[in-house]
Amino acid sequence: GQSLEQPSEVTAVEGAIVQINCTYQTSGFYGLSWYQQHDGGAPTFLSYNALDGLEETGRFSSFLSRSDSYGYLLLQELQMKDSASYFCALNNTNAGKSTFGDGTTLTVKP
Amino acid sequence: KAGVTQTPRYLIKTRGQQVTLSCSPISGHRSVSWYQQTPGQGLQFLFEYFSETQRNKGNFPGRFSGRQFSNSRSEMNVSTLELGDSALYLCASSESGAGYTFGSGTRLTVV
């Protein structure tokens, strides 16, 4: 099967940089995705890495290393509105199925 | 473009009843996936449909079923509801499979 591990909670201050790590176990996958979910809201797609390396989208960047079974989401210039849960997800080779990590709750403090 | 629309937003049902949830994907998206989200279990994959065919199914009992119509709209049905079925049910659609757009979900409470 597949499994993903990410920290349950991370705290950082406004304006800082935070990295949320995700390690995984799988026999095969297409790519690693990241989603943001605010309390009471729906998950929102942030980023996708199909290949090793860094993908940058504004203040958010995501990284994948297939050889290390590891990825991370980097959030820069943190804002209070970034307080949310962040999920990494493996896009399964079985089409249409993603396996999600349990999520990391990010708290941004003033 | 309109987003993914799920109806109803909230639902309260009694144990033993059955329920049908609806999802309209983004126009042009043929893949529709369903997930169950609970505080203890996170996001659990239920099933995925593409062009009216179920391509993948998660590890849920047969009480959970779904279908997709020719216009890509999808429904999921849960029969003989149990208290443990109380959860947020999320539908997601995708064009390429790289990233999914989720609907706001249906919060089901079973009493």
Side-chain angles (χ1 to χ4, degrees), chain B residues 36-86:
Chain B
Q36 181 195 66
Q37 186 174 30
T38 57
Q41 297 294 319
L43 275 151
Q44 300 293 315
F45 173 77
L46 281 156
F47 27 65
E48 187 256 357
Y49 289 87
F50 184 88
S51 293
E52 302 179 67
T53 301
Q54 187 182 88
R55 290 199 296 190
N56 223 317
K57 192 176 191 307
N59 296 322
F60 278 81
R63 300 185 296 107
F64 291 81
S65 63
R67 59 178 175 168
Q68 186 180 34
F69 302 95
S70 58
N71 61 358
S72 293
R73 189 177 71 86
S74 178
E75 287 181 349
M76 68 163 279
N77 185 279
V78 188
S79 62
T80 321
L81 283 165
E82 301 177 358
L83 295 179
D85 297 333
S86 294

mmCIF file of all heavy atoms in Angstrom, chain B residues 36-86:
data_model
loop_
_atom_site.group_PDB
_atom_site.id
_atom_site.type_symbol
_atom_site.label_atom_id
_atom_site.label_comp_id
_atom_site.label_asym_id
_atom_site.label_seq_id
_atom_site.Cartn_x
_atom_site.Cartn_y
_atom_site.Cartn_z
ATOM 1 N N GLN B 36 -13.915 10.752 1.920
ATOM 2 C CA GLN B 36 -14.536 10.940 3.232
ATOM 3 C C GLN B 36 -13.494 11.568 4.139
ATOM 4 O O GLN B 36 -12.351 11.109 4.190
ATOM 5 C CB GLN B 36 -14.977 9.591 3.803
ATOM 6 C CG GLN B 36 -15.651 9.693 5.167
ATOM 7 C CD GLN B 36 -15.740 8.346 5.875
ATOM 8 O OE1 GLN B 36 -14.723 7.766 6.239
ATOM 9 N NE2 GLN B 36 -16.957 7.859 6.072
ATOM 10 N N GLN B 37 -13.876 12.617 4.833
ATOM 11 C CA GLN B 37 -12.941 13.259 5.761
ATOM 12 C C GLN B 37 -13.516 13.255 7.166
ATOM 13 O O GLN B 37 -14.613 13.763 7.404
ATOM 14 C CB GLN B 37 -12.611 14.694 5.336
ATOM 15 C CG GLN B 37 -11.525 15.338 6.199
ATOM 16 C CD GLN B 37 -11.096 16.694 5.703
ATOM 17 O OE1 GLN B 37 -11.867 17.432 5.096
ATOM 18 N NE2 GLN B 37 -9.823 17.023 5.933
ATOM 19 N N THR B 38 -12.766 12.667 8.080
ATOM 20 C CA THR B 38 -13.129 12.668 9.493
ATOM 21 C C THR B 38 -11.926 13.137 10.290
ATOM 22 O O THR B 38 -10.795 12.991 9.840
ATOM 23 C CB THR B 38 -13.533 11.259 9.968
ATOM 24 O OG1 THR B 38 -12.439 10.360 9.713
ATOM 25 C CG2 THR B 38 -14.770 10.764 9.234
ATOM 26 N N PRO B 39 -12.154 13.677 11.497
ATOM 27 C CA PRO B 39 -11.022 14.169 12.289
ATOM 28 C C PRO B 39 -9.996 13.074 12.583
ATOM 29 O O PRO B 39 -8.810 13.302 12.559
ATOM 30 C CB PRO B 39 -11.688 14.662 13.579
ATOM 31 C CG PRO B 39 -13.079 14.976 13.176
ATOM 32 C CD PRO B 39 -13.434 13.968 12.120
ATOM 33 N N GLY B 40 -10.465 11.871 12.798
ATOM 34 C CA GLY B 40 -9.524 10.817 13.174
ATOM 35 C C GLY B 40 -8.857 10.123 12.005
ATOM 36 O O GLY B 40 -7.746 9.615 12.135
ATOM 37 N N GLN B 41 -9.503 10.091 10.853
ATOM 38 C CA GLN B 41 -9.027 9.292 9.722
ATOM 39 C C GLN B 41 -8.525 10.128 8.561
ATOM 40 O O GLN B 41 -8.067 9.583 7.562
ATOM 41 C CB GLN B 41 -10.154 8.372 9.222
ATOM 42 C CG GLN B 41 -10.616 7.360 10.246
ATOM 43 C CD GLN B 41 -9.554 6.353 10.562
ATOM 44 O OE1 GLN B 41 -8.842 5.871 9.691
ATOM 45 N NE2 GLN B 41 -9.390 6.049 11.845
ATOM 46 N N GLY B 42 -8.629 11.436 8.641
ATOM 47 C CA GLY B 42 -8.138 12.248 7.534
ATOM 48 C C GLY B 42 -8.988 12.073 6.291
ATOM 49 O O GLY B 42 -10.179 11.768 6.363
ATOM 50 N N LEU B 43 -8.363 12.256 5.146
ATOM 51 C CA LEU B 43 -9.055 12.135 3.854
ATOM 52 C C LEU B 43 -8.901 10.715 3.327
ATOM 53 O O LEU B 43 -7.800 10.271 3.021
ATOM 54 C CB LEU B 43 -8.454 13.107 2.834
ATOM 55 C CG LEU B 43 -8.990 14.518 2.837
ATOM 56 C CD1 LEU B 43 -7.936 15.499 2.370
ATOM 57 C CD2 LEU B 43 -10.207 14.603 1.922
ATOM 58 N N GLN B 44 -10.007 10.014 3.229
ATOM 59 C CA GLN B 44 -9.977 8.640 2.762
ATOM 60 C C GLN B 44 -10.672 8.539 1.407
ATOM 61 O O GLN B 44 -11.802 8.998 1.253
ATOM 62 C CB GLN B 44 -10.678 7.723 3.773
ATOM 63 C CG GLN B 44 -10.054 7.730 5.155
ATOM 64 C CD GLN B 44 -8.678 7.118 5.182
ATOM 65 O OE1 GLN B 44 -8.445 6.060 4.589
ATOM 66 N NE2 GLN B 44 -7.741 7.783 5.834
ATOM 67 N N PHE B 45 -9.987 7.903 0.460
ATOM 68 C CA PHE B 45 -10.510 7.764 -0.893
ATOM 69 C C PHE B 45 -11.664 6.770 -0.924
ATOM 70 O O PHE B 45 -11.556 5.650 -0.419
ATOM 71 C CB PHE B 45 -9.374 7.299 -1.809
ATOM 72 C CG PHE B 45 -9.786 6.961 -3.212
ATOM 73 C CD1 PHE B 45 -10.040 7.963 -4.133
ATOM 74 C CD2 PHE B 45 -9.918 5.638 -3.613
ATOM 75 C CE1 PHE B 45 -10.414 7.649 -5.434
ATOM 76 C CE2 PHE B 45 -10.284 5.313 -4.904
ATOM 77 C CZ PHE B 45 -10.530 6.325 -5.816
ATOM 78 N N LEU B 46 -12.755 7.189 -1.548
ATOM 79 C CA LEU B 46 -13.925 6.306 -1.696
ATOM 80 C C LEU B 46 -13.935 5.637 -3.067
ATOM 81 O O LEU B 46 -13.893 4.425 -3.175
ATOM 82 C CB LEU B 46 -15.213 7.104 -1.498
ATOM 83 C CG LEU B 46 -15.595 7.395 -0.052
ATOM 84 C CD1 LEU B 46 -16.476 8.620 0.041
ATOM 85 C CD2 LEU B 46 -16.317 6.192 0.544
ATOM 86 N N PHE B 47 -14.048 6.438 -4.107
ATOM 87 C CA PHE B 47 -14.015 5.922 -5.472
ATOM 88 C C PHE B 47 -13.838 7.056 -6.459
ATOM 89 O O PHE B 47 -13.962 8.231 -6.116
ATOM 90 C CB PHE B 47 -15.273 5.108 -5.853
ATOM 91 C CG PHE B 47 -16.523 5.463 -5.117
ATOM 92 C CD1 PHE B 47 -17.123 6.700 -5.256
ATOM 93 C CD2 PHE B 47 -17.116 4.538 -4.262
ATOM 94 C CE1 PHE B 47 -18.275 7.025 -4.568
ATOM 95 C CE2 PHE B 47 -18.278 4.847 -3.566
ATOM 96 C CZ PHE B 47 -18.856 6.094 -3.719
ATOM 97 N N GLU B 48 -13.525 6.670 -7.687
ATOM 98 C CA GLU B 48 -13.313 7.638 -8.752
ATOM 99 C C GLU B 48 -14.021 7.165 -10.012
ATOM 100 O O GLU B 48 -14.017 5.977 -10.335
ATOM 101 C CB GLU B 48 -11.820 7.822 -9.035
ATOM 102 C CG GLU B 48 -11.511 8.950 -10.042
ATOM 103 C CD GLU B 48 -11.145 8.469 -11.436
ATOM 104 O OE1 GLU B 48 -11.068 7.245 -11.653
ATOM 105 O OE2 GLU B 48 -10.934 9.328 -12.318
ATOM 106 N N TYR B 49 -14.637 8.101 -10.702
ATOM 107 C CA TYR B 49 -15.324 7.811 -11.943
ATOM 108 C C TYR B 49 -14.735 8.622 -13.082
ATOM 109 O O TYR B 49 -14.315 9.777 -12.896
ATOM 110 C CB TYR B 49 -16.825 8.124 -11.816
ATOM 111 C CG TYR B 49 -17.537 7.135 -10.941
ATOM 112 C CD1 TYR B 49 -17.602 7.322 -9.560
ATOM 113 C CD2 TYR B 49 -18.108 5.983 -11.481
ATOM 114 C CE1 TYR B 49 -18.231 6.400 -8.748
ATOM 115 C CE2 TYR B 49 -18.747 5.057 -10.675
ATOM 116 C CZ TYR B 49 -18.792 5.272 -9.314
ATOM 117 O OH TYR B 49 -19.410 4.356 -8.506
ATOM 118 N N PHE B 50 -14.703 8.004 -14.230
ATOM 119 C CA PHE B 50 -14.242 8.677 -15.437
ATOM 120 C C PHE B 50 -15.112 8.201 -16.582
ATOM 121 O O PHE B 50 -15.204 7.001 -16.827
ATOM 122 C CB PHE B 50 -12.765 8.339 -15.707
ATOM 123 C CG PHE B 50 -12.177 9.064 -16.875
ATOM 124 C CD1 PHE B 50 -11.606 10.311 -16.715
ATOM 125 C CD2 PHE B 50 -12.202 8.504 -18.147
ATOM 126 C CE1 PHE B 50 -11.062 10.989 -17.793
ATOM 127 C CE2 PHE B 50 -11.665 9.178 -19.226
ATOM 128 C CZ PHE B 50 -11.089 10.416 -19.049
ATOM 129 N N SER B 51 -15.736 9.124 -17.253
ATOM 130 C CA SER B 51 -16.626 8.792 -18.373
ATOM 131 C C SER B 51 -17.602 7.679 -18.002
ATOM 132 O O SER B 51 -17.716 6.671 -18.712
ATOM 133 C CB SER B 51 -15.801 8.377 -19.606
ATOM 134 O OG SER B 51 -15.070 9.467 -20.093
ATOM 135 N N GLU B 52 -18.269 7.868 -16.886
ATOM 136 C CA GLU B 52 -19.334 6.981 -16.396
ATOM 137 C C GLU B 52 -18.848 5.630 -15.900
ATOM 138 O O GLU B 52 -19.668 4.775 -15.542
ATOM 139 C CB GLU B 52 -20.410 6.777 -17.478
ATOM 140 C CG GLU B 52 -21.047 8.075 -17.957
ATOM 141 C CD GLU B 52 -22.079 7.833 -19.036
ATOM 142 O OE1 GLU B 52 -23.122 7.223 -18.727
ATOM 143 O OE2 GLU B 52 -21.845 8.258 -20.191
ATOM 144 N N THR B 53 -17.541 5.413 -15.842
ATOM 145 C CA THR B 53 -17.002 4.127 -15.390
ATOM 146 C C THR B 53 -16.239 4.317 -14.088
ATOM 147 O O THR B 53 -15.465 5.264 -13.943
ATOM 148 C CB THR B 53 -16.045 3.548 -16.451
ATOM 149 O OG1 THR B 53 -16.760 3.373 -17.670
ATOM 150 C CG2 THR B 53 -15.468 2.211 -15.993
ATOM 151 N N GLN B 54 -16.466 3.401 -13.148
ATOM 152 C CA GLN B 54 -15.689 3.446 -11.915
ATOM 153 C C GLN B 54 -14.310 2.875 -12.211
ATOM 154 O O GLN B 54 -14.174 1.690 -12.531
ATOM 155 C CB GLN B 54 -16.375 2.634 -10.812
ATOM 156 C CG GLN B 54 -15.689 2.786 -9.464
ATOM 157 C CD GLN B 54 -16.344 1.930 -8.383
ATOM 158 O OE1 GLN B 54 -16.000 0.763 -8.197
ATOM 159 N NE2 GLN B 54 -17.307 2.499 -7.692
ATOM 160 N N ARG B 55 -13.286 3.719 -12.033
ATOM 161 C CA ARG B 55 -11.925 3.269 -12.347
ATOM 162 C C ARG B 55 -11.204 2.754 -11.115
ATOM 163 O O ARG B 55 -10.267 1.967 -11.230
ATOM 164 C CB ARG B 55 -11.092 4.399 -12.954
ATOM 165 C CG ARG B 55 -11.507 4.805 -14.338
ATOM 166 C CD ARG B 55 -10.392 5.571 -15.046
ATOM 167 N NE ARG B 55 -10.064 6.830 -14.400
ATOM 168 C CZ ARG B 55 -9.281 7.754 -14.929
ATOM 169 N NH1 ARG B 55 -8.746 7.535 -16.125
ATOM 170 N NH2 ARG B 55 -9.033 8.883 -14.299
ATOM 171 N N ASN B 56 -11.617 3.224 -9.961
ATOM 172 C CA ASN B 56 -10.899 2.867 -8.751
ATOM 173 C C ASN B 56 -11.831 2.938 -7.560
ATOM 174 O O ASN B 56 -12.751 3.761 -7.531
ATOM 175 C CB ASN B 56 -9.739 3.836 -8.536
ATOM 176 C CG ASN B 56 -8.477 3.129 -8.110
ATOM 177 O OD1 ASN B 56 -8.517 2.226 -7.270
ATOM 178 N ND2 ASN B 56 -7.366 3.514 -8.689
ATOM 179 N N LYS B 57 -11.589 2.085 -6.601
ATOM 180 C CA LYS B 57 -12.434 2.046 -5.416
ATOM 181 C C LYS B 57 -11.557 1.905 -4.190
ATOM 182 O O LYS B 57 -10.574 1.152 -4.195
ATOM 183 C CB LYS B 57 -13.401 0.866 -5.510
ATOM 184 C CG LYS B 57 -14.508 0.883 -4.478
ATOM 185 C CD LYS B 57 -15.471 -0.286 -4.713
ATOM 186 C CE LYS B 57 -16.740 -0.164 -3.890
ATOM 187 N NZ LYS B 57 -16.519 0.037 -2.466
ATOM 188 N N GLY B 58 -11.901 2.630 -3.143
ATOM 189 C CA GLY B 58 -11.162 2.543 -1.890
ATOM 190 C C GLY B 58 -11.678 1.417 -1.030
ATOM 191 O O GLY B 58 -12.518 0.619 -1.439
ATOM 192 N N ASN B 59 -11.166 1.348 0.190
ATOM 193 C CA ASN B 59 -11.513 0.253 1.090
ATOM 194 C C ASN B 59 -12.708 0.595 1.960
ATOM 195 O O ASN B 59 -12.590 0.745 3.174
ATOM 196 C CB ASN B 59 -10.301 -0.088 1.973
ATOM 197 C CG ASN B 59 -9.141 -0.596 1.151
ATOM 198 O OD1 ASN B 59 -9.319 -1.323 0.187
ATOM 199 N ND2 ASN B 59 -7.943 -0.190 1.530
ATOM 200 N N PHE B 60 -13.830 0.732 1.340
ATOM 201 C CA PHE B 60 -15.062 1.004 2.057
ATOM 202 C C PHE B 60 -16.040 -0.129 1.795
ATOM 203 O O PHE B 60 -15.987 -0.776 0.750
ATOM 204 C CB PHE B 60 -15.674 2.339 1.591
ATOM 205 C CG PHE B 60 -15.053 3.537 2.246
ATOM 206 C CD1 PHE B 60 -13.851 4.055 1.793
ATOM 207 C CD2 PHE B 60 -15.664 4.140 3.334
ATOM 208 C CE1 PHE B 60 -13.267 5.153 2.404
ATOM 209 C CE2 PHE B 60 -15.096 5.245 3.952
ATOM 210 C CZ PHE B 60 -13.894 5.754 3.491
ATOM 211 N N PRO B 61 -16.952 -0.367 2.761
ATOM 212 C CA PRO B 61 -17.912 -1.469 2.565
ATOM 213 C C PRO B 61 -18.848 -1.206 1.393
ATOM 214 O O PRO B 61 -18.969 -0.079 0.916
ATOM 215 C CB PRO B 61 -18.682 -1.510 3.896
ATOM 216 C CG PRO B 61 -18.426 -0.198 4.548
ATOM 217 C CD PRO B 61 -17.104 0.275 4.072
ATOM 218 N N GLY B 62 -19.518 -2.249 0.974
ATOM 219 C CA GLY B 62 -20.413 -2.165 -0.169
ATOM 220 C C GLY B 62 -21.596 -1.233 0.033
ATOM 221 O O GLY B 62 -22.297 -0.902 -0.933
ATOM 222 N N ARG B 63 -21.806 -0.789 1.278
ATOM 223 C CA ARG B 63 -22.892 0.169 1.535
ATOM 224 C C ARG B 63 -22.625 1.502 0.825
ATOM 225 O O ARG B 63 -23.532 2.301 0.617
ATOM 226 C CB ARG B 63 -23.023 0.457 3.041
ATOM 227 C CG ARG B 63 -23.322 -0.758 3.897
ATOM 228 C CD ARG B 63 -23.548 -0.379 5.349
ATOM 229 N NE ARG B 63 -22.383 0.191 5.995
ATOM 230 C CZ ARG B 63 -22.243 1.489 6.299
ATOM 231 N NH1 ARG B 63 -23.202 2.346 6.006
ATOM 232 N NH2 ARG B 63 -21.153 1.924 6.901
ATOM 233 N N PHE B 64 -21.372 1.731 0.498
ATOM 234 C CA PHE B 64 -20.995 2.957 -0.201
ATOM 235 C C PHE B 64 -20.939 2.653 -1.700
ATOM 236 O O PHE B 64 -20.209 1.760 -2.132
ATOM 237 C CB PHE B 64 -19.624 3.438 0.279
ATOM 238 C CG PHE B 64 -19.617 3.943 1.683
ATOM 239 C CD1 PHE B 64 -19.552 3.061 2.758
ATOM 240 C CD2 PHE B 64 -19.679 5.306 1.955
ATOM 241 C CE1 PHE B 64 -19.549 3.522 4.069
ATOM 242 C CE2 PHE B 64 -19.667 5.781 3.258
ATOM 243 C CZ PHE B 64 -19.604 4.885 4.313
ATOM 244 N N SER B 65 -21.680 3.386 -2.463
ATOM 245 C CA SER B 65 -21.687 3.178 -3.903
ATOM 246 C C SER B 65 -21.783 4.526 -4.605
ATOM 247 O O SER B 65 -22.088 5.547 -3.981
ATOM 248 C CB SER B 65 -22.853 2.283 -4.325
ATOM 249 O OG SER B 65 -24.087 2.914 -4.015
ATOM 250 N N GLY B 66 -21.539 4.512 -5.884
ATOM 251 C CA GLY B 66 -21.614 5.756 -6.623
ATOM 252 C C GLY B 66 -21.935 5.497 -8.074
ATOM 253 O O GLY B 66 -22.021 4.344 -8.517
ATOM 254 N N ARG B 67 -22.112 6.582 -8.785
ATOM 255 C CA ARG B 67 -22.282 6.480 -10.228
ATOM 256 C C ARG B 67 -21.981 7.829 -10.855
ATOM 257 O O ARG B 67 -21.948 8.856 -10.166
ATOM 258 C CB ARG B 67 -23.687 6.018 -10.587
ATOM 259 C CG ARG B 67 -24.808 6.911 -10.094
ATOM 260 C CD ARG B 67 -26.140 6.363 -10.570
ATOM 261 N NE ARG B 67 -27.263 7.115 -10.022
ATOM 262 C CZ ARG B 67 -28.521 6.987 -10.461
ATOM 263 N NH1 ARG B 67 -28.800 6.169 -11.451
ATOM 264 N NH2 ARG B 67 -29.495 7.693 -9.919
ATOM 265 N N GLN B 68 -21.783 7.800 -12.141
ATOM 266 C CA GLN B 68 -21.543 9.036 -12.870
ATOM 267 C C GLN B 68 -22.427 9.038 -14.109
ATOM 268 O O GLN B 68 -22.582 8.005 -14.777
ATOM 269 C CB GLN B 68 -20.066 9.157 -13.276
ATOM 270 C CG GLN B 68 -19.730 10.505 -13.920
ATOM 271 C CD GLN B 68 -18.278 10.617 -14.319
ATOM 272 O OE1 GLN B 68 -17.654 9.630 -14.713
ATOM 273 N NE2 GLN B 68 -17.709 11.809 -14.214
ATOM 274 N N PHE B 69 -22.968 10.189 -14.405
ATOM 275 C CA PHE B 69 -23.871 10.328 -15.533
ATOM 276 C C PHE B 69 -23.125 10.833 -16.769
ATOM 277 O O PHE B 69 -21.966 11.241 -16.683
ATOM 278 C CB PHE B 69 -25.019 11.273 -15.159
ATOM 279 C CG PHE B 69 -25.792 10.812 -13.949
ATOM 280 C CD1 PHE B 69 -25.477 11.288 -12.686
ATOM 281 C CD2 PHE B 69 -26.829 9.898 -14.075
ATOM 282 C CE1 PHE B 69 -26.180 10.853 -11.562
ATOM 283 C CE2 PHE B 69 -27.531 9.457 -12.958
ATOM 284 C CZ PHE B 69 -27.194 9.941 -11.707
ATOM 285 N N SER B 70 -23.804 10.828 -17.875
ATOM 286 C CA SER B 70 -23.152 11.210 -19.135
ATOM 287 C C SER B 70 -22.687 12.667 -19.143
ATOM 288 O O SER B 70 -21.782 13.034 -19.887
ATOM 289 C CB SER B 70 -24.099 10.960 -20.317
ATOM 290 O OG SER B 70 -25.295 11.686 -20.153
ATOM 291 N N ASN B 71 -23.288 13.492 -18.292
ATOM 292 C CA ASN B 71 -22.840 14.900 -18.219
ATOM 293 C C ASN B 71 -21.750 15.080 -17.156
ATOM 294 O O ASN B 71 -21.435 16.209 -16.784
ATOM 295 C CB ASN B 71 -24.031 15.819 -17.917
ATOM 296 C CG ASN B 71 -24.687 15.510 -16.584
ATOM 297 O OD1 ASN B 71 -24.285 14.580 -15.888
ATOM 298 N ND2 ASN B 71 -25.703 16.281 -16.232
ATOM 299 N N SER B 72 -21.187 13.978 -16.689
ATOM 300 C CA SER B 72 -20.108 13.936 -15.685
ATOM 301 C C SER B 72 -20.562 14.188 -14.259
ATOM 302 O O SER B 72 -19.764 14.013 -13.328
ATOM 303 C CB SER B 72 -18.952 14.899 -16.022
ATOM 304 O OG SER B 72 -18.280 14.469 -17.170
ATOM 305 N N ARG B 73 -21.799 14.581 -14.069
ATOM 306 C CA ARG B 73 -22.294 14.719 -12.697
ATOM 307 C C ARG B 73 -22.235 13.356 -12.023
ATOM 308 O O ARG B 73 -22.389 12.313 -12.660
ATOM 309 C CB ARG B 73 -23.721 15.245 -12.693
ATOM 310 C CG ARG B 73 -24.247 15.638 -11.311
ATOM 311 C CD ARG B 73 -25.658 16.222 -11.401
ATOM 312 N NE ARG B 73 -26.658 15.209 -11.721
ATOM 313 C CZ ARG B 73 -27.258 14.442 -10.823
ATOM 314 N NH1 ARG B 73 -26.927 14.536 -9.545
ATOM 315 N NH2 ARG B 73 -28.179 13.567 -11.188
ATOM 316 N N SER B 74 -21.959 13.385 -10.714
ATOM 317 C CA SER B 74 -21.812 12.122 -9.995
ATOM 318 C C SER B 74 -22.655 12.126 -8.734
ATOM 319 O O SER B 74 -22.964 13.190 -8.175
ATOM 320 C CB SER B 74 -20.332 11.903 -9.639
ATOM 321 O OG SER B 74 -20.147 10.719 -8.893
ATOM 322 N N GLU B 75 -23.062 10.975 -8.332
ATOM 323 C CA GLU B 75 -23.772 10.792 -7.075
ATOM 324 C C GLU B 75 -23.099 9.691 -6.293
ATOM 325 O O GLU B 75 -22.541 8.743 -6.869
ATOM 326 C CB GLU B 75 -25.230 10.373 -7.328
ATOM 327 C CG GLU B 75 -26.128 11.469 -7.849
ATOM 328 C CD GLU B 75 -27.556 10.995 -8.044
ATOM 329 O OE1 GLU B 75 -27.808 9.772 -7.969
ATOM 330 O OE2 GLU B 75 -28.432 11.850 -8.275
ATOM 331 N N MET B 76 -23.137 9.824 -4.977
ATOM 332 C CA MET B 76 -22.740 8.708 -4.137
ATOM 333 C C MET B 76 -23.884 8.388 -3.178
ATOM 334 O O MET B 76 -24.634 9.287 -2.775
ATOM 335 C CB MET B 76 -21.437 8.941 -3.384
ATOM 336 C CG MET B 76 -21.460 9.988 -2.298
ATOM 337 S SD MET B 76 -20.031 9.810 -1.197
ATOM 338 C CE MET B 76 -20.586 8.494 -0.130
ATOM 339 N N ASN B 77 -24.006 7.144 -2.890
ATOM 340 C CA ASN B 77 -25.092 6.658 -2.059
ATOM 341 C C ASN B 77 -24.514 5.863 -0.895
ATOM 342 O O ASN B 77 -23.572 5.080 -1.073
ATOM 343 C CB ASN B 77 -26.008 5.772 -2.907
ATOM 344 C CG ASN B 77 -27.236 5.327 -2.139
ATOM 345 O OD1 ASN B 77 -27.168 4.386 -1.361
ATOM 346 N ND2 ASN B 77 -28.337 6.000 -2.345
ATOM 347 N N VAL B 78 -25.054 6.096 0.262
ATOM 348 C CA VAL B 78 -24.691 5.284 1.426
ATOM 349 C C VAL B 78 -25.980 4.680 1.971
ATOM 350 O O VAL B 78 -26.929 5.406 2.298
ATOM 351 C CB VAL B 78 -23.999 6.103 2.535
ATOM 352 C CG1 VAL B 78 -23.463 5.164 3.624
ATOM 353 C CG2 VAL B 78 -22.890 6.965 1.970
ATOM 354 N N SER B 79 -26.017 3.373 2.037
ATOM 355 C CA SER B 79 -27.212 2.698 2.535
ATOM 356 C C SER B 79 -26.982 2.249 3.976
ATOM 357 O O SER B 79 -25.836 2.159 4.434
ATOM 358 C CB SER B 79 -27.550 1.495 1.651
ATOM 359 O OG SER B 79 -26.493 0.561 1.695
ATOM 360 N N THR B 80 -28.054 1.976 4.660
ATOM 361 C CA THR B 80 -28.013 1.491 6.043
ATOM 362 C C THR B 80 -26.998 2.279 6.867
ATOM 363 O O THR B 80 -25.979 1.751 7.353
ATOM 364 C CB THR B 80 -27.667 -0.020 6.081
ATOM 365 O OG1 THR B 80 -28.312 -0.702 5.021
ATOM 366 C CG2 THR B 80 -28.111 -0.618 7.401
ATOM 367 N N LEU B 81 -27.250 3.547 6.990
ATOM 368 C CA LEU B 81 -26.308 4.444 7.653
ATOM 369 C C LEU B 81 -25.969 4.002 9.067
ATOM 370 O O LEU B 81 -26.829 3.522 9.819
ATOM 371 C CB LEU B 81 -26.887 5.864 7.686
ATOM 372 C CG LEU B 81 -26.805 6.636 6.375
ATOM 373 C CD1 LEU B 81 -27.712 7.855 6.421
ATOM 374 C CD2 LEU B 81 -25.375 7.033 6.062
ATOM 375 N N GLU B 82 -24.687 4.196 9.409
ATOM 376 C CA GLU B 82 -24.194 3.924 10.758
ATOM 377 C C GLU B 82 -23.675 5.237 11.350
ATOM 378 O O GLU B 82 -23.343 6.174 10.609
ATOM 379 C CB GLU B 82 -23.072 2.881 10.699
ATOM 380 C CG GLU B 82 -23.494 1.564 10.089
ATOM 381 C CD GLU B 82 -22.341 0.585 9.978
ATOM 382 O OE1 GLU B 82 -21.198 0.943 10.352
ATOM 383 O OE2 GLU B 82 -22.573 -0.549 9.510
ATOM 384 N N LEU B 83 -23.592 5.267 12.686
ATOM 385 C CA LEU B 83 -23.109 6.483 13.346
ATOM 386 C C LEU B 83 -21.722 6.869 12.822
ATOM 387 O O LEU B 83 -21.406 8.049 12.658
ATOM 388 C CB LEU B 83 -23.066 6.286 14.866
ATOM 389 C CG LEU B 83 -24.399 6.075 15.560
ATOM 390 C CD1 LEU B 83 -24.183 5.858 17.061
ATOM 391 C CD2 LEU B 83 -25.338 7.258 15.332
ATOM 392 N N GLY B 84 -20.897 5.877 12.540
ATOM 393 C CA GLY B 84 -19.531 6.112 12.077
ATOM 394 C C GLY B 84 -19.443 6.700 10.679
ATOM 395 O O GLY B 84 -18.349 7.076 10.236
ATOM 396 N N ASP B 85 -20.567 6.787 9.994
ATOM 397 C CA ASP B 85 -20.565 7.381 8.656
ATOM 398 C C ASP B 85 -20.629 8.906 8.719
ATOM 399 O O ASP B 85 -20.514 9.574 7.686
ATOM 400 C CB ASP B 85 -21.752 6.856 7.832
ATOM 401 C CG ASP B 85 -21.682 5.359 7.587
ATOM 402 O OD1 ASP B 85 -20.559 4.807 7.571
ATOM 403 O OD2 ASP B 85 -22.757 4.740 7.411
ATOM 404 N N SER B 86 -20.817 9.432 9.909
ATOM 405 C CA SER B 86 -20.833 10.891 10.069
ATOM 406 C C SER B 86 -19.472 11.442 9.660
ATOM 407 O O SER B 86 -18.435 11.043 10.205
ATOM 408 C CB SER B 86 -21.123 11.265 11.527
ATOM 409 O OG SER B 86 -22.423 10.874 11.890
#
